[in-house]
Amino acid sequence: MKFSKRTHTCGELRETNVNDKVVLNGWVDSTRNLGGVLFVNIRDRYGVTQVLFEESSQPEVYKNAREARSEFVVSVEGEVRKRSEDAINTKMPTGLIEVVGSKILILNEAETPPFVIKNNVEANEDLKLKYRYLDLRRPEMRDNMILRHKMYQSVRNYFDKQDFLEIETPILMKSTPEGARDFLVPSRLHKGKFYALPQSPQQYKQLLMVSGFDRYFQIVKCFRDEDFRADRQPEFTQIDVEMSFVDTEDIFEVMEGLMKKLFKDLKNYELETPIPRLTYAEALENYGSDKPDLRFEMKLTTLNDVVKNSEFRVFNDTINNGGIVTSVVAKGCADYSRSQIDQLTAHAKKYGAGGLVWMKVKDGAIDSPVAKFLSAEILTGIISATKAEENDLILIIAGPKTKSLTSMGAVRLELAKKNNLIDPNSEPKLLWVVDFPLFEWDEETERFYAMHHPFTSPRIEDFEKMDSAPGEVRARAYDLVLNGSEIAGGSIRIHDSAQQAKMFKALGISDEEAQMKFGFLMNAFKFGAPPHGGIAFGFDRLVMLFAGENSIRDVIAFPKTASGISLMDESPSPVDEGQLKDLHINIREN
Amino acid sequence: MKFSKRTHTCGELRETNVNDKVVLNGWVDSTRNLGGVLFVNIRDRYGVTQVLFEESSQPEVYKNAREARSEFVVSVEGEVRKRSEDAINTKMPTGLIEVVGSKILILNEAETPPFVIKNNVEANEDLKLKYRYLDLRRPEMRDNMILRHKMYQSVRNYFDKQDFLEIETPILMKSTPEGARDFLVPSRLHKGKFYALPQSPQQYKQLLMVSGFDRYFQIVKCFRDEDFRADRQPEFTQIDVEMSFVDTEDIFEVMEGLMKKLFKDLKNYELETPIPRLTYAEALENYGSDKPDLRFEMKLTTLNDVVKNSEFRVFNDTINNGGIVTSVVAKGCADYSRSQIDQLTAHAKKYGAGGLVWMKVKDGAIDSPVAKFLSAEILTGIISATKAEENDLILIIAGPKTKSLTSMGAVRLELAKKNNLIDPNSEPKLLWVVDFPLFEWDEETERFYAMHHPFTSPRIEDFEKMDSAPGEVRARAYDLVLNGSEIAGGSIRIHDSAQQAKMFKALGISDEEAQMKFGFLMNAFKFGAPPHGGIAFGFDRLVMLFAGENSIRDVIAFPKTASGISLMDESPSPVDEGQLKDLHINIREN
């Protein structure tokens, strides 16, 4: 069908256009018939413009216009005029004008959509995912995609200006499962062999450093075949970065510049740098988290010194076993009911705490079921150490260190939520968390795992403890935290093949296994590997936080459900027997 | 190991830096010992700088420096000085200065590389692919990666400025094999089901138009499980574009702007636009190719009218059967030997020609084995039609139209190669080829196939021939050709579900099959699809042409061999039985 091309977008006409003859192409957003005058709002990506058709002056055109229903695709011609005073709509950028339609052409019809195309639509997510192409018409989703587009450009412009090279790494690579499961791709040309999709381009970017590329970045798809949690996707996007001849400070400097630019470009906000830092140990002790939300204070207080001589067995046993007694103060919450406290206790237990001790500060004294086990001096000591005041609620967890702190961190976040301590318009709080432990002990398998990944370098001064006290070795690893979400993580890498071998040994990875999985990287290190390190940002999450959304699905054009299904195209799906035969595979019987 | 960070890169020091104290980090490119003075060239991504160590003034440093071998990673400190007149090296950007070394630290050692790190190294490609990280150290490969980086940025900046949105489409999608084979990814969570890797984001970008995004682009990985030809990769990169409310002219305009910018940014060349156009029929008849190389003339001439009344059966039969008699003139090649002509004949036969008739123009007459079958009038007619001159060689192919023209096109290119008709420094020749046939008849399966893909719109005026004469329907499809290589292809799409159904019918795709494979796209079209069209550029090939390379492997950081193997990491590779079990698949017995 021949149609006139738009002279303007639907978001563009202003008072200066009055009397212009214009053509608009777009979708019918809504229609209103005032009897003889039909108002049709035409929508495109750029906005909405009101067009009106008058029966009296143009009966044929009016008749045609009446055929147009919501979501029809139309091409409209007309003349711009100023709206009358009472018809001005200050909420619409085009609200000062309207177009008097002289022609309307229906380019395509539309069935009634399964949900209304508007923000905050009441439709279940599965329906919206099935008709994702309609969901994406909603202004909110459109704006998210535009924000995402802008973030891509900002990120790349920044790295380009900083002399980084964008280099593509393969999607079809070798399977080296470590951590999460690989997605596999059977090879047709090589029977019984498989490619894997990358969990990250980690090894490739390190090889690029060996090649001398010095400063690499890429916005790249990564894949993890996990048992999907609510807000995970089997494929996700990361900003991947690696630099040579650097230490942590150099990486921090470049990344702080990136964050500064993103906040400036996307939020017009001047982020102050340097970004504060906490060690992993500090973050855990003060906030019960390795990704503390600093938009509110409410620090944890360790009470070991205060309660160490009490008669209360829970505290005593904990301290004698090397555990921690940690506390937090809920300001003005002394009137919490039993059931409110029970809820908090249940929340703490979900994270592994044995229980939650509460103390209410009332009339200058402590009201608590455990008060009777504690001396007046200790009770005063608790008030003084926690800086609790009249009408505050003190919450205490005693037990093994990490578990207790993590549980208290969860209680801290829960209290913030319940008491609206986080102002959604508050300034963004960024934080580097540094000095992560190199290894994590797994109770179940009774072995150490790499807390980041097996290429992470230990701190030079801790290197000698690799054999004697691996649990105490700190890594040259760092996370970047925004408002309580980890948005990036990285490390200085091992660049020496002997040291890498030692690391594999500490992780219980045999020489054969290391050679089979990472042989090409270890070989590469023999030919002159520079000192290097890097970082990777979770791009989807970063966009989500900038967009103020709660789910990464809201910032991905075509996301999958929590179980990895695309409801729109119904993938994964069965395939032809012929395809399987070509790939030399069978579906298993059981 | 602690080391001093570089103050300058190895490509940066100039005369203005004389007397500066500097630190360089990099690789030992070469060493030269002149007895008591050791010259060490330090290399990084940015260049090479000469550092010298003097035994007399700094015996300890000199001793350390002697430990450094080729490809060792070093950190060097020293003072910049002007080179003496006779030591100036005008070929090096840093050739006016040298650094007098006062300290050298070996950051990492290096084994002797399996090939020398220099341009035009004599090493077989398999060895270079196995040690790709070393191959990438060669300046030529480094420059290719830098060019590629610049092309990414140029492309994105262009589309961003033109109001296009970059939107990521899924890598894990539904298998809809049409054309090439899909790579499949077995699902662990959904037994017996598979994702496919996209051959292109075709359907997603059309859905984005249904969503109203209006102008979309993406630089995106695509996957085809083909029997790899020499210069194909299982994964490749394309610039993917789609636009709404457009006709071919709008797409041409935007893409010509892109090409203009790329030539300006990367080659500092002012490309003239508009880019010339040929119809598919013209390209085929005049150049024997749908991607003619216009850097040299040598047009084909159709001789049907000239020879139609000859006694020569080959010509007569061809013309009576609706075939073509096509010719080309090889200027000044009348002295070609029998064996040279045999080679050309063999070349023509590879492309399906039955044979190659030759005529030499000597002393104003034609010398040819077939001259005796042709009248003097016809012989003169041939000379006159082909504009052949003394000492030229006329080559003629007679037979079915497409096959004969294609064969002659191949002969034309072969002649250009043999006679060096293409100046490697000639201006780039761009060309739009338009009006492709919508369908291609396959002799073997006796059915029509979509020449581009099944979403391509027919020309409106040809629509009525869809049923009666499908072979004559022209598509609203176009290719962009650069120096004889197809660099992009696209079309205006069908945006009407009824018309799409008709297309599937013409292709022999049943309703059920269409519904199963493309149902979600056809459903989407029911909810208000705008007129739209797009194009996709082969990014690897584009970089290759701009880099002046002959293989796309030279512009891909980590390419695979022609049989899809990564020699560096040895993928594809066998995987654990446990991994297969998790994915519910077996390797077939036979």
Side-chain angles (χ1 to χ4, degrees):
Chain A
M1 191 183 293
K2 289 272 174 205
F3 62 94
S4 296
K5 225 156 33 187
R6 69 185 174 208
T7 54
H8 298 77
T9 70
C10 295
E12 180 171 15
L13 294 173
R14 297 288 182 276
E15 266 190 290
T16 49
N17 298 105
V18 167
N19 297 330
D20 286 359
K21 304 249 187 257
V22 299
V23 179
L24 302 178
N25 299 160
W27 284 259
V28 174
D29 195 58
S30 59
T31 60
R32 237 177 343 132
N33 198 333
L34 300 187
V37 185
L38 178 69
F39 290 93
V40 181
N41 275 344
I42 315 282
R43 184 191 70 230
D44 65 11
R45 183 184 119 198
Y46 310 89
V48 175
T49 302
Q50 175 171 294
V51 183
L52 61 89
F53 298 91
E54 291 166 322
E55 187 172 20
S56 56
S57 58
Q58 307 231 38
E60 268 308 306
V61 180
Y62 176 82
K63 210 179 125 206
N64 289 341
R66 288 193 59 178
E67 298 293 315
R69 310 258 168 71
S70 277
E71 304 307 322
F72 276 31
V73 184
V74 295
S75 178
V76 160
E77 299 182 29
E79 190 173 318
V80 183
R81 80 175 180 204
K82 204 167 174 317
R83 291 196 196 192
S84 61
E85 282 301 323
D86 57 326
I88 284 175
N89 182 344
T90 53
K91 286 183 194 152
M92 283 169 81
T94 61
L96 287 174
I97 58 89
E98 59 194 0
V99 174
V100 184
S102 57
K103 188 175 172 187
I104 181 167
L105 202 60
I106 293 174
L107 300 179
N108 216 341
E109 302 194 348
E111 291 182 5
T112 305
F115 50 85
V116 185
I117 308 295
K118 64 169 190 185
N119 283 344
N120 306 314
V121 60
E122 298 266 344
N124 81 47
E125 194 183 5
D126 280 1
L127 188 70
K128 289 198 284 181
L129 285 175
K130 181 172 177 191
Y131 296 94
R132 185 63 166 183
Y133 42 89
L134 297 180
D135 194 30
L136 287 171
R137 282 188 193 165
R138 295 191 300 117
E140 177 191 346
M141 294 304 287
R142 176 201 61 194
D143 291 346
N144 288 349
M145 292 302 123
I146 292 174
L147 179 78
R148 187 169 175 125
H149 163 83
K150 285 183 181 161
M151 195 176 285
Y152 291 126
Q153 313 317 317
S154 260
V155 168
R156 295 208 197 85
N157 289 342
Y158 177 75
F159 283 115
D160 179 46
K161 287 230 165 52
Q162 298 279 328
D163 257 340
F164 282 73
L165 292 179
E166 179 175 354
I167 300 178
E168 271 180 277
T169 51
I171 296 288
L172 296 173
M173 63 172 284
K174 187 185 171 83
S175 179
T176 57
E178 177 70 13
R181 283 191 195 83
D182 282 335
F183 281 106
L184 296 183
V185 181
S187 164
R188 181 175 57 82
L189 294 175
H190 306 279
K191 180 180 172 175
K193 296 188 174 180
F194 295 79
Y195 301 99
L197 305 182
Q199 297 187 25
S200 96
Q202 184 63 34
Q203 293 170 66
Y204 290 109
K205 67 179 176 173
Q206 294 195 241
L207 288 171
L208 289 171
M209 295 304 106
V210 175
S211 294
F213 284 109
D214 193 280
R215 298 186 142 209
Y216 144 91
F217 87 101
Q218 191 185 188
I219 300 182
V220 62
K221 275 275 174 69
C222 302
F223 306 84
R224 272 180 213 164
D225 189 6
E226 295 180 309
D227 290 320
F228 304 119
R229 278 177 277 161
D231 208 26
R232 290 273 180 147
Q233 288 281 312
E235 58 180 295
F236 56 97
T237 304
Q238 76 184 30
I239 308 173
D240 198 45
V241 177
E242 198 77 8
M243 300 166 71
S244 287
F245 302 114
V246 292
D247 203 343
T248 47
E249 294 303 324
D250 307 286
I251 290 178
F252 287 1
E253 190 187 322
V254 173
M255 297 310 133
E256 292 182 0
L258 173 67
M259 293 314 293
K260 226 177 155 64
K261 178 169 166 68
L262 289 183
F263 274 103
K264 182 65 188 166
D265 288 359
L266 303 176
K267 297 294 214 179
N268 197 25
Y269 174 78
E270 298 286 350
L271 180 73
E272 270 181 44
T273 52
I275 291 171
R277 299 175 197 181
L278 283 177
T279 66
Y280 171 81
E282 290 165 344
L284 207 60
E285 183 154 1
N286 291 321
Y287 301 97
S289 171
D290 60 0
K291 43 177 191 288
D293 190 335
L294 300 189
R295 283 174 300 175
F296 63 104
E297 186 67 3
M298 206 193 254
K299 272 192 190 179
L300 277 49
T301 306
T302 301
L303 298 176
N304 287 34
D305 283 350
V306 180
V307 303
K308 66 180 166 204
N309 295 318
S310 83
E311 314 271 297
F312 187 38
R313 234 195 30 216
V314 174
F315 290 172
N316 280 347
D317 287 357
T318 294
I319 291 169
N320 291 335
N321 290 327
I324 196 168
V325 180
T326 179
S327 66
V328 83
V329 173
K331 296 303 293 174
C333 294
D335 54 351
Y336 262 32
S337 68
R338 183 57 181 257
S339 101
Q340 282 177 301
I341 292 178
D342 284 351
Q343 276 174 27
L344 285 175
T345 308
H347 195 70
K349 285 182 171 173
K350 262 200 288 182
Y351 291 82
L356 189 63
V357 172
W358 58 264
M359 298 181 170
K360 296 177 173 178
V361 186
K362 281 193 169 162
D363 304 325
I366 277 188
D367 164 21
S368 167
V370 308
K372 56 178 175 284
F373 304 114
L374 300 168
S375 67
E377 186 190 353
I378 287 179
L379 288 173
T380 316
I382 289 175
I383 292 183
S384 146
T386 59
K387 302 197 178 70
E389 296 173 310
E390 185 65 17
N391 245 348
D392 287 352
L393 173 69
I394 306 172
L395 298 165
I396 301 177
I397 292 173
K401 199 164 172 181
T402 306
K403 207 176 269 178
S404 302
L405 288 168
T406 310
S407 305
M408 193 53 103
V411 169
R412 174 180 176 268
L413 287 178
E414 186 67 11
L415 284 167
K417 218 163 83 181
K418 281 188 194 298
N419 297 309
N420 295 316
L421 299 186
I422 300 171
D423 173 2
N425 298 315
S426 65
E427 311 239 303
K429 288 291 186 186
L430 279 134
L431 171 74
W432 288 108
V433 179
V434 300
D435 287 352
F436 279 85
L438 187 62
F439 300 107
E440 207 167 17
W441 178 256
D442 185 63
E443 299 278 352
E444 213 168 300
T445 54
E446 297 198 323
R447 50 161 278 202
F448 282 108
Y449 285 89
M451 193 149 178
H452 275 68
H453 54 60
F455 311 111
T456 306
S457 171
R459 282 184 57 151
I460 296 164
E461 59 271 43
D462 292 357
F463 191 63
E464 58 191 21
K465 294 190 208 158
M466 286 278 285
D467 295 320
S468 58
E472 292 174 25
V473 177
R474 288 165 301 171
R476 296 164 81 187
Y478 32 79
D479 278 359
L480 184 57
V481 176
L482 170 60
N483 296 343
S485 286
E486 181 203 323
I487 55 169
S491 63
I492 301 297
R493 326 295 184 186
I494 299 169
H495 68 278
D496 177 282
S497 50
Q499 197 172 329
Q500 185 66 66
K502 197 160 189 170
M503 180 73 177
F504 286 139
K505 199 178 150 211
L507 291 169
I509 298 177
S510 70
D511 284 358
E512 293 74 38
E513 194 184 348
Q515 189 57 40
M516 199 182 70
K517 286 185 179 171
F518 310 110
F520 61 103
L521 184 61
M522 291 172 73
N523 283 339
F525 280 4
K526 294 180 186 154
F527 293 98
H532 63 286
I535 195 166
F537 286 74
F539 189 78
D540 305 305
R541 189 181 288 169
L542 199 59
V543 181
M544 179 190 88
L545 293 171
F546 272 76
E549 295 285 0
N550 292 312
S551 162
I552 57 170
R553 288 189 295 278
D554 290 336
V555 296
I556 296 173
F558 300 104
K560 297 195 170 59
T561 65
S563 69
I565 295 175
S566 165
L567 294 173
M568 187 180 69
D569 63 16
E570 292 174 321
S571 67
S573 60
V575 296
D576 286 353
E577 173 64 14
Q579 286 177 277
L580 298 182
K581 202 170 166 193
D582 281 352
L583 299 175
H584 320 288
I585 59 170
N586 271 326
I587 313 286
R588 282 185 186 237
E589 293 298 324
N590 44 45
Chain B
M1 189 184 295
K2 291 269 176 207
F3 62 94
S4 296
K5 227 159 32 193
R6 68 182 174 208
T7 54
H8 297 78
T9 69
C10 296
E12 181 170 16
L13 294 173
R14 298 286 183 275
E15 265 190 294
T16 50
N17 298 103
V18 167
N19 296 330
D20 287 0
K21 304 252 188 253
V22 299
V23 180
L24 302 178
N25 297 160
W27 284 259
V28 174
D29 195 59
S30 59
T31 60
R32 237 177 344 133
N33 197 331
L34 299 187
V37 185
L38 178 68
F39 290 93
V40 181
N41 275 343
I42 314 283
R43 184 193 67 229
D44 65 11
R45 183 185 116 197
Y46 310 90
V48 176
T49 302
Q50 176 170 296
V51 182
L52 61 90
F53 298 93
E54 290 165 323
E55 187 171 21
S56 56
S57 58
Q58 307 232 38
E60 268 308 306
V61 181
Y62 176 82
K63 210 179 124 204
N64 290 340
R66 286 193 58 179
E67 298 292 314
R69 311 258 167 72
S70 277
E71 303 307 321
F72 276 32
V73 185
V74 295
S75 177
V76 161
E77 299 182 27
E79 189 174 318
V80 182
R81 80 175 179 200
K82 201 168 177 317
R83 292 197 195 190
S84 61
E85 282 301 324
D86 57 326
I88 285 173
N89 182 344
T90 53
K91 285 184 195 152
M92 285 169 80
T94 62
L96 287 173
I97 58 89
E98 59 196 356
V99 173
V100 184
S102 57
K103 189 175 170 187
I104 180 167
L105 203 60
I106 292 173
L107 300 178
N108 216 342
E109 302 194 347
E111 290 182 6
T112 305
F115 49 84
V116 185
I117 309 295
K118 63 168 193 186
N119 282 344
N120 306 313
V121 60
E122 298 266 343
N124 81 47
E125 193 182 4
D126 281 2
L127 188 69
K128 289 197 285 181
L129 286 174
K130 181 172 177 191
Y131 296 94
R132 185 62 166 185
Y133 42 88
L134 298 180
D135 193 30
L136 288 170
R137 282 188 192 164
R138 294 190 302 118
E140 176 191 348
M141 294 304 287
R142 176 202 61 196
D143 291 346
N144 287 350
M145 293 302 123
I146 292 174
L147 179 78
R148 188 171 175 123
H149 163 83
K150 286 183 181 162
M151 196 178 283
Y152 291 126
Q153 314 316 318
S154 261
V155 168
R156 295 207 198 82
N157 289 343
Y158 176 76
F159 283 115
D160 178 47
K161 289 231 163 57
Q162 298 277 329
D163 257 339
F164 282 74
L165 292 178
E166 179 176 353
I167 300 179
E168 271 181 277
T169 51
I171 296 288
L172 295 173
M173 64 172 283
K174 188 185 171 81
S175 179
T176 56
E178 178 69 14
R181 284 189 194 85
D182 281 335
F183 279 105
L184 295 183
V185 182
S187 164
R188 182 175 56 83
L189 294 175
H190 306 280
K191 179 180 170 173
K193 296 187 174 181
F194 294 79
Y195 301 99
L197 305 182
Q199 296 188 24
S200 97
Q202 184 63 34
Q203 293 170 65
Y204 290 109
K205 67 177 177 176
Q206 294 194 241
L207 289 170
L208 288 171
M209 296 305 105
V210 175
S211 292
F213 283 109
D214 193 282
R215 297 185 143 208
Y216 144 90
F217 86 100
Q218 191 184 189
I219 300 182
V220 62
K221 274 274 173 71
C222 302
F223 305 84
R224 272 181 213 165
D225 189 7
E226 296 181 308
D227 290 318
F228 304 119
R229 276 176 279 158
D231 209 26
R232 292 272 180 147
Q233 289 281 311
E235 57 180 297
F236 56 97
T237 304
Q238 75 184 32
I239 308 171
D240 199 44
V241 177
E242 198 78 7
M243 300 167 71
S244 287
F245 303 113
V246 292
D247 202 342
T248 47
E249 294 303 323
D250 307 286
I251 291 180
F252 287 2
E253 190 186 322
V254 173
M255 297 311 132
E256 292 183 359
L258 173 66
M259 293 315 293
K260 225 175 155 68
K261 178 169 165 68
L262 290 183
F263 274 103
K264 182 67 189 165
D265 287 359
L266 303 176
K267 296 295 214 181
N268 196 25
Y269 174 79
E270 297 288 351
L271 180 73
E272 271 182 41
T273 52
I275 290 171
R277 299 175 197 180
L278 283 177
T279 66
Y280 172 80
E282 289 166 343
L284 207 60
E285 182 156 2
N286 290 320
Y287 300 98
S289 171
D290 59 1
K291 45 179 190 289
D293 190 335
L294 301 189
R295 283 175 300 174
F296 63 102
E297 187 64 5
M298 205 194 256
K299 274 193 188 177
L300 276 49
T301 305
T302 300
L303 298 177
N304 286 33
D305 284 348
V306 181
V307 303
K308 67 182 169 201
N309 294 320
S310 82
E311 313 272 296
F312 187 39
R313 227 175 59 198
V314 174
F315 290 172
N316 279 348
D317 287 358
T318 295
I319 291 170
N320 291 336
N321 290 326
I324 196 168
V325 179
T326 180
S327 66
V328 81
V329 173
K331 297 301 294 176
C333 293
D335 55 351
Y336 263 31
S337 68
R338 183 57 181 258
S339 100
Q340 281 175 304
I341 291 177
D342 284 351
Q343 276 175 28
L344 285 175
T345 307
H347 194 70
K349 285 182 172 174
K350 262 201 288 184
Y351 292 82
L356 189 65
V357 171
W358 58 264
M359 297 180 173
K360 296 177 172 178
V361 186
K362 282 193 168 164
D363 304 324
I366 278 185
D367 165 22
S368 167
V370 308
K372 57 179 175 283
F373 303 114
L374 301 167
S375 67
E377 187 190 356
I378 289 178
L379 289 173
T380 316
I382 291 175
I383 294 184
S384 144
T386 58
K387 300 198 178 69
E389 296 172 313
E390 184 65 16
N391 244 348
D392 287 353
L393 173 69
I394 305 170
L395 296 166
I396 301 175
I397 292 174
K401 198 164 172 182
T402 307
K403 205 176 272 178
S404 300
L405 288 168
T406 311
S407 305
M408 193 55 102
V411 168
R412 174 180 175 268
L413 289 178
E414 187 67 12
L415 284 168
K417 217 163 83 182
K418 281 188 194 296
N419 298 309
N420 295 315
L421 299 186
I422 301 170
D423 173 2
N425 298 315
S426 66
E427 311 238 302
K429 287 292 185 185
L430 280 135
L431 170 74
W432 288 109
V433 178
V434 300
D435 288 350
F436 279 84
L438 186 62
F439 299 108
E440 207 167 20
W441 178 256
D442 185 62
E443 298 278 350
E444 213 168 297
T445 55
E446 296 197 325
R447 52 162 276 204
F448 280 108
Y449 284 90
M451 192 146 180
H452 276 66
H453 53 60
F455 311 111
T456 306
S457 170
R459 282 184 59 151
I460 297 166
E461 59 270 44
D462 293 356
F463 191 64
E464 58 190 20
K465 293 189 206 157
M466 287 278 284
D467 294 321
S468 57
E472 290 173 26
V473 177
R474 288 164 301 169
R476 294 164 81 188
Y478 32 79
D479 278 359
L480 184 57
V481 176
L482 169 59
N483 296 343
S485 287
E486 180 202 324
I487 56 170
S491 63
I492 301 299
R493 326 297 185 187
I494 299 169
H495 67 279
D496 177 282
S497 50
Q499 196 170 331
Q500 185 69 64
K502 196 160 190 174
M503 180 73 178
F504 285 140
K505 198 178 151 213
L507 292 169
I509 299 176
S510 71
D511 284 357
E512 294 75 36
E513 191 183 352
Q515 190 55 40
M516 198 182 71
K517 287 185 179 171
F518 310 110
F520 62 104
L521 183 62
M522 288 171 76
N523 283 339
F525 280 3
K526 293 180 187 154
F527 293 98
H532 62 287
I535 195 167
F537 286 74
F539 189 77
D540 304 305
R541 190 181 287 172
L542 199 59
V543 181
M544 178 189 89
L545 292 172
F546 272 76
E549 295 284 1
N550 293 312
S551 163
I552 58 171
R553 287 190 296 278
D554 289 336
V555 296
I556 296 172
F558 299 104
K560 296 194 172 57
T561 64
S563 69
I565 295 174
S566 165
L567 294 173
M568 187 180 69
D569 62 17
E570 292 173 322
S571 68
S573 61
V575 296
D576 286 353
E577 172 64 14
Q579 285 177 276
L580 297 183
K581 204 171 165 193
D582 281 352
L583 299 174
H584 321 289
I585 57 170
N586 273 326
I587 313 285
R588 280 183 186 237
E589 294 296 324
N590 44 44

